[in-house]
Amino acid sequence: MIRRISASDHRFRSFELQPGFNLIVAQRSSGATRRDSTNALGKSCVLRIIHFLLGAEPKKGKEVPEVPALKGWTFKMDLDLNGRPVCVSRATGSNAYFVYPCPPGWGEPQIDGSVKLTIAEWKALLRQQVFGIPSDAVGPSVRQILPYLIRYESAHFAHAFEILNRTAQSRVASAWLLGLPVSAPLEFEELEARRKELQAIKSRIETTGYPGLKATRPALQAEQARLAGLVRKLESERSRYELKEHSLAIKARADGLTKQFNGFRDDIAETAALITHYQSAASAEAMPADAGLVAALYAEVDVWLPEKVSRRLAEVQQFHEMLITNRARFLANKVRELTTRQTELQAAAARIDAARAPLLAALAEDGAIEAYTATQTELIDARHDLATVEAQLAMLNGVEVEIQQVDEAQRQLTQRAAILHDEYLNVQNRAQALFSEFVRTAFHEEGRLEIDLTNPRYRFDTAIPSKSSGGVGKLAIAGVDLTIARLLHERKTGPHLLVHDSAMFESMDTRQVVGTLNTAWHESSAFGYTYLALLNEDQFRAAAADLQLPDIDSYIRLRLRDNDPAGGLFGFRFG
């Protein structure tokens, strides 16, 4: 798949890869001691650049593009996509990829003939074009698969399979790489997540809601029974108040009479005020007429208007007395009328008060209204509490029913997984046989590849009951990697690439390093995929004498040296 790695800066040590076996060796100068490291040469950066060009998200402190000295650089990879040679490039600090030439159907070409893609678009195309996984198919992502083929972080060497922190995605990737069905772990993970969510809801229901009660099912049911009994008791007590309706009617009548009585009382007060007013007016106007005053007034008028005054003084006095008499009669009649009305109002008020008195006495004596009101208030509270408990119980029932449904779905999924285990037994046996063969051939050890599909979570593990050095874990990883590379070749899918960093060989003894490299050489040569091993010089020299490769130096694609600043991967020293 990968044919060449290069960069826009001429100082970069570009290198090419060939189908079959390839080596990159980090060489220490003759004056260096065993304590000197080859890390500064950029050996591990080879893998980071490959991941960077295959859809990796930049990780601060972990990815080459984060190095300030490389600002403005563009890294390039020549590779084959379904037999079509293309070049993909990506600049440091950028999330855009440029693929040249633009393959048919990949989008609108730029002026230079390339197509610009986002990280998501590039990963989606790699998933389809390299691994043959349709865009709408359930399965692992490119970034979940590649760590199995290009291990470079410490977590990748902790376990042959569980390199994604023991997640369902890790098991899905493992299953896909081995040619097994992938949906069960994801379905089980979704069901398990839903179950945890429902358990959290159930816990919230049990600890909140009805005050002073841990709302477990037994507690809620007991409280429901208690409140239901209380409601029945209060309803019975309320029904025993036979005077309830009668008492309510009495109170309504008493209230009406009181309103009337108050109205009459106001009218009586108003009438009394009018009587006083008219009586005062009558007293003032009842005084006898002063004849001398009238005569003087008449004489004055006669002097000034002699021709106008035609009546005698006696006539004038008679007229004045008549006016006084008529006014007095009017006021007396008004006082009598108001006094009569006042008497009637007082009598009516007295009747209403007399009618009201026994009603008020009856209400005060039997206390029906107060007792009914108290019972009704208590009943309302009890019904509210009962409704609250029943609502919590209903929610709890709903959650528990859904938990049971999830449990049933998991049970059915387990049954289907057991069936799949049997259906894919040949595929499992093929992978297990290859692993055992590689471990036996490369390391002269007996190893087992353990695959368990009967649990829908899936379980993948290795066992090498060796008494040799501490490199057994790396032997298992190497065996799994070689198994996966062969299986992908047989399925005619994948990048036809397997890379082992020097970290793979660090805890191996020389015999194990030789066995890994010899087996990788035979496999990659026989089946045409690209194998790349990155070795330190001491690892390479220790194994070289026992390697079966003819003309071993011809497989070295790049030598990194520490005796010259230009001898590192980037052509200069930084950091």
Side-chain angles (χ1 to χ4, degrees):
M1 174 189 172
I2 298 177
R3 292 184 284 108
R4 188 171 189 269
I5 301 291
S6 60
S8 58
D9 193 291
H10 70 280
R11 293 172 292 178
F12 183 76
R13 303 280 306 282
S14 301
F15 60 90
E16 295 184 357
L17 298 176
Q18 302 294 331
F21 195 80
N22 300 265
L23 291 173
I24 292 179
V25 178
Q27 180 179 357
R28 289 182 302 191
S29 62
S30 58
T33 67
R34 293 184 61 84
R35 292 187 178 183
D36 292 327
S37 172
T38 60
N39 291 340
L41 298 179
K43 174 170 50 64
S44 295
C45 288
V46 170
L47 305 185
R48 294 181 179 180
I49 291 171
I50 292 175
H51 275 282
F52 179 67
L53 290 168
L54 292 178
E57 300 282 352
K59 298 179 183 178
K60 191 171 183 179
K62 291 189 176 182
E63 295 295 338
V64 171
E66 293 293 329
V67 178
L70 301 179
K71 184 177 181 180
W73 282 41
T74 296
F75 292 98
K76 303 176 183 179
M77 176 190 292
D78 293 343
L79 67 159
D80 294 325
L81 289 178
N82 284 341
R84 182 189 300 274
V86 298
C87 177
V88 59
S89 62
R90 179 182 177 184
T92 59
S94 171
N95 290 334
Y97 287 90
F98 292 88
V99 180
Y100 176 86
C102 174
W106 280 36
E108 187 66 26
Q110 309 261 340
I111 295 176
D112 63 356
S114 67
V115 61
K116 181 179 180 180
L117 302 172
T118 64
I119 291 180
E121 290 170 336
W122 176 233
K123 288 191 294 187
L125 286 169
L126 286 176
R127 187 174 187 261
Q128 297 176 46
Q129 298 291 323
V130 176
F131 296 99
I133 305 174
S135 58
D136 57 349
V138 174
S141 69
V142 168
R143 299 306 309 165
Q144 291 165 355
I145 296 173
L146 285 176
Y148 290 84
L149 304 174
I150 312 171
R151 301 177 188 252
Y152 74 99
E153 292 185 357
S154 58
H156 299 167
F157 298 100
H159 194 278
F161 287 105
E162 301 288 355
I163 67 174
L164 299 176
N165 299 322
R166 299 184 179 275
T167 62
Q169 287 76 15
S170 177
R171 293 186 288 274
V172 166
S174 299
W176 186 87
L177 288 165
L178 295 176
L180 300 169
V182 299
S183 61
L186 293 177
E187 291 182 43
F188 192 89
E189 191 84 356
E190 291 175 1
L191 290 171
E192 191 64 20
R194 180 56 180 162
R195 196 179 197 285
K196 290 179 180 178
E197 179 184 348
L198 291 169
Q199 289 289 3
I201 294 173
K202 180 181 178 181
S203 178
R204 287 197 298 271
I205 292 173
E206 291 178 345
T207 55
T208 60
Y210 191 68
L213 179 70
K214 181 172 176 57
T216 60
R217 173 181 288 281
L220 284 173
Q221 289 176 336
E223 188 66 5
Q224 181 188 33
R226 185 188 72 81
L227 289 171
L230 179 60
V231 167
R232 289 193 299 270
K233 172 180 173 293
L234 293 172
E235 288 175 341
S236 176
E237 288 181 0
R238 188 184 62 172
S239 67
R240 288 203 298 270
Y241 289 105
E242 298 176 356
L243 295 179
K244 184 191 74 169
E245 297 297 336
H246 179 59
S247 297
L248 290 174
I250 290 175
K251 189 175 187 303
R253 286 183 59 199
D255 290 343
L257 291 173
T258 299
K259 185 177 181 181
Q260 292 179 47
F261 177 81
N262 291 335
F264 282 129
R265 186 175 58 187
D266 292 341
D267 289 345
I268 290 170
E270 183 181 349
T271 303
L274 289 174
I275 289 173
T276 301
H277 169 72
Y278 284 121
Q279 286 176 339
S280 298
S283 298
E285 296 177 10
M287 297 177 63
D290 187 344
L293 181 61
V294 175
L297 180 62
Y298 182 82
E300 186 179 350
V301 174
D302 187 39
V303 170
W304 291 99
L305 301 170
E307 72 280 3
K308 298 292 184 181
V309 179
S310 59
R311 294 182 179 179
R312 297 184 180 186
L313 177 59
E315 292 176 348
V316 172
Q317 288 178 330
Q318 183 182 5
F319 177 73
H320 179 70
E321 290 173 355
M322 184 183 66
L323 287 177
I324 293 299
T325 300
N326 289 339
R327 175 65 178 171
R329 187 181 297 114
F330 168 77
L331 291 174
N333 289 338
K334 196 66 177 175
V335 169
R336 282 193 300 272
E337 180 183 333
L338 289 171
T339 300
T340 301
R341 175 169 172 72
Q342 184 183 42
T343 302
E344 292 173 350
L345 289 172
Q346 290 172 339
R351 289 193 301 271
I352 290 174
D353 191 39
R356 185 181 64 158
L359 299 178
L360 295 176
L363 291 174
E365 182 178 351
D366 65 39
I369 293 300
E370 289 75 6
Y372 174 81
T373 301
T375 303
Q376 182 70 5
T377 300
E378 190 176 357
L379 178 60
I380 290 172
D381 291 341
R383 283 175 172 169
H384 175 269
D385 290 345
L386 179 60
T388 301
V389 169
E390 287 177 340
Q392 277 191 282
L393 194 55
M395 286 190 294
L396 190 61
N397 286 337
V399 170
E400 289 181 343
V401 166
E402 193 165 352
I403 289 175
Q404 291 171 0
Q405 291 173 347
V406 170
D407 290 342
E408 175 61 20
Q410 288 181 328
R411 187 187 65 80
Q412 293 179 5
L413 186 59
T414 301
Q415 290 179 341
R416 295 203 307 272
I419 296 173
L420 287 174
H421 181 86
D422 294 338
E423 290 180 352
Y424 281 81
L425 197 56
N426 290 338
V427 177
Q428 297 175 62
N429 290 342
R430 174 60 177 159
Q432 291 165 331
L434 283 174
F435 177 81
S436 297
E437 175 188 338
F438 290 140
V439 171
R440 186 180 302 111
T441 301
F443 314 122
H444 307 289
E445 303 281 0
E446 294 299 321
R448 298 190 307 273
L449 174 58
E450 299 174 356
I451 301 173
D452 181 11
L453 305 186
T454 59
N455 184 325
R457 291 177 182 272
Y458 288 4
R459 188 183 70 85
F460 303 94
D461 206 349
T462 58
I464 301 178
S466 173
K467 297 181 181 179
S468 59
S469 70
V472 175
K474 298 294 180 63
L475 302 186
I477 293 174
V480 167
D481 291 352
L482 290 166
T483 299
I484 288 173
R486 173 78 78 86
L487 292 173
L488 291 178
H489 169 77
E490 292 177 356
R491 287 158 55 193
K492 295 181 172 55
T493 189
H496 306 291
L497 174 71
L498 178 60
V499 179
H500 281 157
D501 187 22
S502 58
M504 169 70 77
F505 307 103
E506 284 177 355
S507 57
M508 291 184 180
D509 59 30
T510 301
R511 178 181 63 85
Q512 292 166 342
V513 173
V514 169
T516 300
L517 295 177
N518 278 334
T519 304
W521 172 64
H522 282 291
E523 284 290 302
S524 60
S525 300
F527 299 102
Y529 64 80
T530 299
Y531 176 83
L532 171 63
L534 294 90
L535 299 172
N536 295 326
E537 179 74 15
D538 55 348
Q539 293 172 329
F540 174 68
R541 288 303 170 195
D546 295 320
L547 291 176
Q548 300 172 359
L549 286 67
D551 190 13
I552 189 171
D553 286 344
S554 67
Y555 294 95
I556 299 176
R557 309 306 175 198
L558 181 66
R559 283 186 180 273
L560 303 175
R561 304 181 305 276
D562 66 352
N563 59 357
D564 178 4
L569 178 66
F570 299 100
F572 67 99
R573 295 189 186 279
F574 57 84

